[in-house]
Amino acid sequence: MSTGGRDKRPLPLSENALRQLIRVAIEKGYYTESLHHPERNISVDDVLHGVERSDWTLVGIPEWVEGSSCYRYRISTVDIEGEELTLILSAYPAEKRIGFITAW
């Protein structure tokens, strides 16, 4: 077992910590969106509506993205019309920032 500092990957955020990060990032405007959703007309308003709800859930295990040094999280929620919505977002806790990657 290596103890070298080669891969100092942080642990993924807990659901509560992710909720707090999302809340702060939205309040301060520290979010970006590069949504890719060719089969649906999903707006950033749909995405914000979905993550501002208290009943969204995490799906699967967060994915570490080496090139961005961040975790990506999959969230299941609903859009403004109440239609099922799945989001992928990247989280940058040290910067209190999130990025909306894709939604469907």
Side-chain angles (χ1 to χ4, degrees):
M1 174 182 246
S2 172
T3 58
R6 187 175 152 268
D7 184 17
K8 286 299 209 176
R9 178 184 308 179
L11 293 174
L13 297 174
S14 68
E15 184 174 324
N16 283 339
L18 181 60
R19 287 180 185 279
Q20 290 175 359
L21 175 62
I22 290 170
R23 183 183 47 76
V24 169
I26 290 171
E27 284 175 1
K28 297 193 176 284
Y30 296 167
Y31 63 89
T32 57
E33 59 96 4
S34 57
L35 299 173
H36 306 286
H37 42 76
E39 62 281 339
R40 278 180 66 184
N41 184 20
I42 299 170
S43 71
V44 71
D45 291 333
D46 287 310
V47 171
L48 292 174
H49 172 81
V51 296
E52 288 175 332
R53 297 174 56 89
S54 63
D55 61 349
W56 62 256
T57 57
L58 280 175
V59 178
I61 299 170
E63 174 191 357
W64 177 253
V65 181
E66 192 67 43
S68 301
S69 296
C70 71
Y71 279 98
R72 286 192 181 164
Y73 299 83
R74 180 179 294 207
I75 293 175
S76 178
T77 187
V78 295
D79 65 15
I80 291 172
E81 290 83 28
E83 297 292 322
E84 188 174 307
L85 182 65
T86 300
L87 308 169
I88 303 290
L89 67 83
S90 53
Y92 305 90
E95 301 157 13
K96 303 209 181 325
R97 179 173 62 89
I98 59 173
F100 297 112
I101 306 299
T102 191
W104 66 92

